[in-house]
Amino acid sequence: MTDYGELNPPLRILMGPGPSNVHPRVLRAMSTPLVGHLDPEFLKIMDEVQELLRYVFQTKNQFTIPVSGTGSAGMETGFVNLIEDGDEVVVGVNGVFGERMSDIAGRCGGKLTRVEAEWGNIIPPEKIAEAVKGKKVKLVAVVHAETSTGAWQPLEEIANISHNAGALFLVDAVTSLGGCPVKLDEWGIDVCYSGTQKCLSAPPGLSPVSFNERARQVITSRKKKVQSWYLDMSMIEKYWGKERTYHHTAPITMVYGLREALRLIQEEGLENCFKRHELNHKALKKGLEKLGLSLHAHEGHRLWMLNTVRVPEGVDEARVRKRLLDEFNIEIGGGLGVLKGKVWRVGLMGYSSREENVLYFLHAMEKILDGEGWKK
Ligand SMILES: *Cc1c(COP(=O)(O)O)cnc(C)c1O
């Protein structure tokens, strides 16, 4: 038999589109002893996680829990619970994740209207208003922080348009939660989901979701059972709620990790946490400009936690990424879809959003671009 040796992964600086670096305290929490998923001690931890999630989602929604699965499981949870055959759904598509939402909405049997915008731009609220006109729309969905393009979608106006049309408003906050304000109650977001590995800085594996009372009513008054057994919120609610009925074994260790990650945000304070993301983004932007590089996402709608940087003419984008990883231990992302080969995606999410990372990354980029013979 081969001796595979002890696991010893390299210490990377994760500055891509996720996962971000995990705080040592989160890793420590994850190495604490396992208890059972119905142990009174664990039930207490579940309540605490729900309380902390309400804090970061800025909501009073009772039904706020982490779904077992990554961000995409949260996405699927939103659609599969709310959409039934033939329901009108309006989805904003301006990047990979809007595209994924639209795919899922279709799979759930929704009658889909796609509202598209160029990758890097936001979805204009007027175009949502046009799309809902004269239809009985059940759900309007957009991505708050499009990780594939770096575009920051404003939400309040679309929330109003959706509600005036009698529709629920669903938001993908996978990359935004914990990095910039996500105000469920104040903005009128009915359903929201996120992921643990972006600005929450825990490993991938859980997807925090929140449903308000209106959205819960829609689930309880469904004509047919939710087609996904695993993601059926009417059953999962009974485990996270008062009944504590077994549904599936909660990923205990991940819940420990999320608890510590949320506690770290609470300690720092949400506002300070947002401020840090903003400052580091601004510092990165300044530094990139000095190097002669520019950001791709539309000015005025640029995310703090994910920066799409245009690859200069004549530079091999994949080679630069490989050199960052090999020579500096820095991971960044490449472009997806129509942006493939055209941009780098530089994440400053959660624990990765630190001044020292910004400075080190800029230094590395300067050296590499110089080595590649590129002159600004
Ligand atoms: C990362 C991401 C997802 C998908 O999350 P996974 O954890 O990869 O399943 C969904 N939406 C957005 C905006 C994301 O950035």
Side-chain angles (χ1 to χ4, degrees), residues 70-72 75 97 100 143 145 147 172 174-175 197-198:
T70 65
S72 306
M75 187 186 287
F97 296 104
R100 189 173 295 179
V143 177
T147 322
D172 175 317
V174 175
T175 284
Q197 80 273 30
K198 312 241 168 140

Side-chain angles (χ1 to χ4, degrees), residues 128-176:
I128 300 277
E130 260 168 55
V132 299
K133 213 187 245 160
K135 286 193 203 109
K136 196 167 164 285
V137 176
K138 177 101 165 267
L139 185 73
V140 173
V142 297
V143 177
H144 191 201
E146 226 334 323
T147 322
S148 62
T149 70
W152 186 342
Q153 179 71 47
L155 299 175
E156 284 178 88
E157 206 178 330
I158 301 181
N160 289 334
I161 292 167
S162 309
H163 294 153
N164 290 339
L168 290 171
F169 184 41
L170 181 154
V171 169
D172 175 317
V174 175
T175 284
S176 51

Side-chain angles (χ1 to χ4, degrees), residues 206-338:
L206 288 176
S207 174
V209 301
S210 187
F211 287 72
N212 68 8
E213 214 33 56
R214 238 178 109 221
R216 275 190 71 236
Q217 290 298 324
V218 169
I219 300 176
T220 41
S221 55
R222 284 179 64 101
K223 294 190 223 53
K224 271 196 189 154
K225 275 189 183 176
V226 172
Q227 59 267 48
S228 165
W229 180 89
Y230 196 69
L231 299 175
D232 184 339
M233 287 297 114
S234 66
M235 293 195 287
I236 289 181
E237 191 179 26
K238 292 196 172 69
Y239 173 56
W240 283 87
K242 285 192 187 66
E243 292 96 329
R244 307 293 189 179
T245 315
Y246 163 70
H247 178 260
H248 64 273
T249 312
I252 312 285
T253 303
M254 274 307 303
V255 176
Y256 290 173
L258 176 59
R259 181 184 181 278
E260 192 60 19
L262 294 169
R263 220 163 68 87
L264 280 160
I265 293 179
Q266 191 200 31
E267 269 179 36
E268 182 178 13
L270 263 189
E271 293 305 321
N272 294 335
C273 185
F274 301 154
K275 199 85 214 156
R276 172 168 55 82
H277 282 85
E278 182 182 10
L279 280 175
N280 288 328
H281 157 75
K282 284 187 172 156
L284 177 74
K285 180 170 171 279
K286 265 231 167 86
L288 288 170
E289 280 164 359
K290 266 203 179 144
L291 294 180
L293 299 171
S294 61
L295 295 181
H296 172 75
H298 220 214
E299 173 101 57
H301 296 289
R302 285 176 184 154
L303 291 170
W304 297 334
M305 60 294 274
L306 193 285
N307 303 272
T308 37
V309 182
R310 289 207 180 105
V311 178
E313 203 71 50
V315 170
D316 182 338
E317 79 82 21
R319 240 179 82 91
V320 171
R321 269 190 293 132
K322 186 172 179 321
R323 288 192 58 185
L324 279 169
L325 193 69
D326 293 346
E327 297 165 32
F328 296 90
N329 259 323
I330 298 175
E331 178 185 273
I332 64 165
L336 296 176
V338 295

